[in-house]
Every structure is written in C-alpha cells, then in structure tokens.
Amino acid sequence: MIKRLSLASRLALLFAGCTAVVSLLAGVLFSQASEKHFIELDQQLLDSKLMALRSALQGADTPALFAQRQAALVGELSHQPDLSVRINAADGQRWFDSSPRIPANLPTAPGLHSLQSDGTRYRTYNAPLNPTQSGSAQLILILDITHHQHFLQSMQHLIWLTVGLSALATALLGAWAARSALRPLRRMTEVAAGIRAHSLTQRLPQEQMPAELEELTLAFNAMFSRLDDAFQRLSAFSADIAHELRTPLSNLLTQTQVILTQPRPLEDYREALHSNLEELQWMAQLVNDMLYLAKADHGLLNPRREPLALADEVDALLEFFAPLAEDAQVNLLRDGRARTAGDRSMLRRAFSNLLDNAVRFTPPGGEVRVRISENAQGVKLSVENTGTGIPQGLLPKLFDRFYRADPARHEGSSEHAGLGLAITQSIVQAHGGRIFCESQPGWTRFVIELPKGV
C-alpha cells in the first residue's frame, strides 16, 4: 500500500513546483529577450557595415571596376574578423568571396536571415550593392554569431541550474515553514490523544493558535467541555443509581435474613413478602424510568401525533388528583383552553408529574392552578402552586436526574426518586417544546410551551 504524503510534504512539493515553473518561465522569457536583443545588435552592425561597403565599392558596377576597388573592400573587412562578404552579379556570377569558409548555399531573399553550417551559426544579410540601380550586384554579408550562441547556451544551463536549486531550496524552506505552521495542529493532536476520563478538563491554548485555527480550537474546546459535562453527569448518574438502590436492597436483605433466622407464623412471612413486594415494585419502577430516560437520550421517543384538547386532558387529571388534594386541603383549578397535537399518554404523564409535585408541596389551604393559553407561536400550559418558593440558584438543577430541591434527601424513598421532572422534560422536548420553572417567595410555576399542532 502506497504511503500517503503528509500535508507538510504536499505543501513543500507545491512550493517547489510553483518556484520551478516561475523560474523556468522567467528563464525562457529572459532567453528569448536576449536572443531578440542579439538579433537587433546584429542588424545594427550589418546595417553599418553595409553602408561602409557601399561607400567603398561605389561605382563598381562591372567586374573590372570592382577589381579596382577590391583592395578598399579587403581593408574594410579587416576591421571585422567575424564578418565575411560574398558578391554576386545580377546574373548570378560570383565576383568575390572574402573567406573560403563561407557556406556554399546562402539565402537569396533580401533581408536578415539565420543559418547554421558545419556546427557554426551565421547571420546573413542580403542587399543590393547599388539600391538605386536595377540589375545591381548583390552583397551578402555573413556574420559569425557562434559567440552569441555560446552565451545563450551558457545562460540556458544557468537557467536550468537556477530552476533546480530554486526548487530544492524552496522545497526545504517550504517543508520547514509547513512544519512550523502545522505545529499548532500537532499540539491539538497531542492534546486530543492525551484526553482521558480524568483529564477532560484540559483545553487547547486558544491564544497560541493562529487565526485560521481559532474556530477549530473553539470547536475542540467546546467538544471537550461537552464531553466533560456528559462524563460528570454520567458519573453522578451512576452514583445516584447506586445511592437510590442501596437502601431498598439493604432493606430486602435485612428483612429476609431476620425472617429466616427462626421459624415464624405464616402471617409474619406474608407481611414480610408484602413489604418486600413494595420495595421490589419501587425498584422496578425506578428501572423503568431509567430505561425511559435512556431512550430519550438516544432520541428513541417517537410520540404519536393526535389532536388533543388540553383542557379535557387536564380536567381528567384533576379529577384523578382530587382525592389527594382534598386530603391535603388543596384547591385544584384550571383556566383556559387550547388544542395541540401530541401523544396523549406521554403528555398525561408529564402533566401528572407536575400536578403531583404541586399538590405535594402546596401547604394546607393553598391552591394549584393550571393555566392554558394559545397564540400564533403555539400553546402554553403552566402549573403553579402557592407555598414556599424555590431559591433562584436551584432552578437550573430542577430537571437533573435524582435531584431533589429538599436538602433533607430521603435515601431509597419508595415514592419519589427525583426522576419525575427529568422525564417530563424529555417528553416535552420529544414533542418539540420546552419547559422551565419560575419561582418567587409565595408561589412556584412550571411552564410548558408546545407547538400549536392542529
């Protein structure tokens, strides 16, 4: 299996490739510009030599007259060793070759040309000896430009060397820069790899991160905070389960051991079994509640959507709680009407939990009032009762599992385990609503807001 390149290696190769391409383009452009410059210099040189040769051969329109001026031509050419001249008559007869090394076949078209012969580069320039005379002899100036080519070849070698060295240097510097820039990512990797159950409080140093990684750092720290909170809640949850089950299990064991220490009348066995049955029923209810909350945590509560008249549902529950309220000398009232869509059994369970708490914590002579209203956003149901208010600092904790606002907590109570409000919140959230508590000295109100539905 081919090993994947690291991000630093990819960046280094990218830098090297970009530098190589840019250097190569710059070298090619410089080479072309140099060659064009040499052509311009050669053109200027040949133009000046053409004028000098025309001046030296002025009037040499026949071979005889040319022979008289040949000495002047040779003298002129002696000043430019790399320049050769060929003169042809109008009929093609060759009058003069200044060097035996002149190539046999030269371009005949007027103007500047380039030519290579026997490994030597030439620049040729064709022009009439007398431009004002038709049928004039033709001058062909041949300039040896081998030294130009040597320079261009040396420059091309230098360009390739520069491209290679630049790519290598950029790759090394790019690798170093990439590793330096990616150091915060390695730090994040180290922190994430070092996270354990006992080190969930560790956070990434946000002030040391570059701007590009600031959002990622915030996301990581937020994730660690959620994990820490979830782990703390899970630990507390496990401790609370053990706390709640310890007393009933201890009662069951103790009572059973006492009954079995000696033979007893049948009625004593029956009474012990009834007592054990109560404890077992409470434990079974606790387990069922825990399973219900576990399903809610995993999004497995799927309430049915059926049209409900909230006033009718609340009236049915108030009728059920009427005997308990009468014994506690508490008045039960309901105001308002509204309709919504939801699961009847689940919502009744939520409302029942709120009414049960309200009746239990309302002093004799007080009242529990259920208010129902609706608006364009949805429906609102509040359960409020008179009595001692709940301190503001405790309101955020009311919906935690196993939480009891009363500090005098009764271990293993067979009536209330502190899960009612947590279950109520799960039911409301499964219906797309929310629940919150308001309290002041003298009254407490739990408010449920639900979508309007139908």
Side-chain angles (χ1 to χ4, degrees):
M1 183 177 180
I2 300 176
K3 184 178 181 181
R4 290 182 296 176
L5 291 176
S6 65
L7 185 57
S9 299
R10 296 180 186 181
L11 290 174
L13 291 177
L14 178 62
F15 294 153
C18 292
T19 302
V21 170
V22 171
S23 301
L24 184 60
L25 289 176
V28 170
L29 293 176
F30 183 74
S31 178
Q32 292 178 349
S34 300
E35 186 172 1
K36 182 178 179 181
H37 177 66
F38 283 134
I39 292 175
E40 293 174 353
L41 291 178
D42 293 341
Q43 179 74 61
Q44 293 175 4
L45 174 63
L46 293 174
D47 283 339
S48 63
K49 289 300 180 181
L50 178 61
M51 294 177 61
L53 293 176
R54 282 176 175 173
S55 176
L57 298 175
Q58 187 175 5
D61 298 331
T62 63
L65 293 175
F66 173 76
Q68 295 176 5
R69 301 292 182 90
Q70 186 172 350
L73 174 60
V74 174
E76 184 66 31
L77 291 176
S78 63
H79 301 297
Q80 190 76 31
D82 54 352
L83 179 66
S84 302
V85 174
R86 172 176 288 177
I87 302 176
N88 292 330
D91 59 1
Q93 181 182 359
R94 185 171 301 174
W95 285 3
F96 177 75
D97 270 346
S98 64
S99 172
R101 298 192 303 272
I102 296 177
N105 298 320
L106 296 176
T108 58
L112 191 68
H113 304 276
S114 296
L115 174 68
Q116 183 170 354
S117 177
D118 297 331
T120 303
R121 295 278 296 178
Y122 299 98
R123 200 89 69 193
T124 66
Y125 190 42
N126 297 347
L129 178 61
N130 188 352
T132 61
Q133 178 183 351
S134 61
S136 170
Q138 295 293 315
L139 280 173
I140 304 177
L141 282 68
I142 303 99
L143 180 64
D144 186 350
I145 59 171
T146 304
H147 59 289
H148 293 175
Q149 298 304 311
H150 289 167
F151 173 80
L152 291 176
Q153 290 175 359
S154 299
M155 187 179 67
Q156 290 175 354
H157 294 160
L158 182 60
I159 289 173
W160 284 111
L161 180 61
T162 302
V163 168
L165 293 177
S166 299
L168 178 60
T170 306
L172 295 176
L173 292 175
W176 174 81
R179 285 187 60 83
S180 299
L182 294 176
R183 188 176 296 114
L185 284 178
R186 291 196 296 273
R187 172 60 178 160
M188 296 174 70
T189 302
E190 293 172 358
V191 172
I195 292 296
R196 298 291 185 273
H198 60 277
S199 61
L200 287 174
T201 56
Q202 190 173 1
R203 299 292 182 269
L204 293 173
Q206 181 179 345
E207 63 281 356
Q208 299 179 11
M209 295 296 173
E212 293 80 3
L213 296 179
E214 184 174 358
E215 292 187 4
L216 182 60
T217 303
L218 292 175
F220 261 92
N221 287 338
M223 179 188 68
F224 293 149
S225 297
R226 292 193 299 271
L227 288 175
D228 184 30
D229 180 67
F231 183 77
Q232 296 299 331
R233 292 169 63 90
L234 181 60
S235 298
F237 190 46
S238 301
D240 285 334
I241 292 177
H243 185 83
E244 295 294 332
L245 293 177
R246 181 179 60 185
T247 299
L249 286 174
S250 178
N251 292 341
L252 287 172
L253 289 172
T254 302
Q255 190 164 356
T256 302
Q257 289 171 350
V258 170
I259 289 295
L260 294 177
T261 54
Q262 59 184 0
R264 298 179 183 276
L266 181 61
E267 188 63 28
D268 290 345
Y269 289 113
R270 186 184 301 275
E271 183 179 351
L273 289 175
H274 277 294
S275 178
N276 289 351
L277 179 61
E278 291 179 0
E279 297 289 352
L280 290 172
Q281 287 175 338
W282 178 83
M283 292 172 64
Q285 183 61 42
L286 177 63
V287 172
N288 289 334
D289 290 344
M290 293 306 305
L291 291 175
Y292 193 88
L293 289 173
K295 291 175 62 177
D297 288 342
H298 290 84
L300 299 179
L301 293 183
N302 297 313
R304 298 187 302 274
R305 298 292 177 175
E306 54 182 315
L308 298 176
L310 292 182
D312 295 342
E313 303 301 326
V314 171
D315 288 345
L317 290 174
L318 292 179
E319 183 178 355
F320 174 79
F321 280 97
L324 179 63
E326 184 178 355
D327 292 341
Q329 302 179 18
V330 174
N331 295 324
L332 300 178
L333 303 172
R334 189 264 302 165
D335 297 330
R337 290 180 174 275
R339 296 185 66 84
T340 187
D343 189 299
R344 175 178 280 105
S345 61
M346 292 174 66
L347 289 178
R348 278 198 174 189
R349 183 174 185 179
F351 301 156
S352 176
N353 288 338
L354 296 181
L355 287 172
D356 181 56
N357 284 342
V359 171
R360 286 192 299 111
F361 290 102
T362 301
E367 71 174 23
V368 174
R369 184 179 296 270
V370 180
R371 300 181 188 273
I372 304 173
S373 62
E374 65 178 320
N375 52 35
Q377 287 73 35
V379 300
K380 178 186 292 187
L381 183 147
S382 63
V383 178
E384 58 185 68
N385 65 285
T386 58
T388 304
I390 301 174
Q392 295 297 313
L394 300 181
L395 294 181
K397 303 178 181 179
L398 292 179
F399 299 97
D400 292 348
R401 299 170 186 179
F402 295 111
Y403 181 77
R404 296 186 179 102
D406 185 3
R409 176 171 176 158
H410 302 288
E411 298 185 5
S413 171
S414 60
E415 296 181 0
H416 306 285
L419 294 177
L421 290 179
I423 292 175
T424 300
Q425 184 183 52
S426 298
I427 293 173
V428 172
Q429 291 177 346
H431 282 79
R434 72 184 187 111
I435 181 173
F436 58 92
C437 178
E438 302 171 336
S439 184
Q440 295 292 337
W443 61 271
T444 297
R445 179 187 300 123
F446 285 86
V447 181
I448 294 177
E449 294 179 349
L450 295 170
K452 194 168 185 179
V454 295

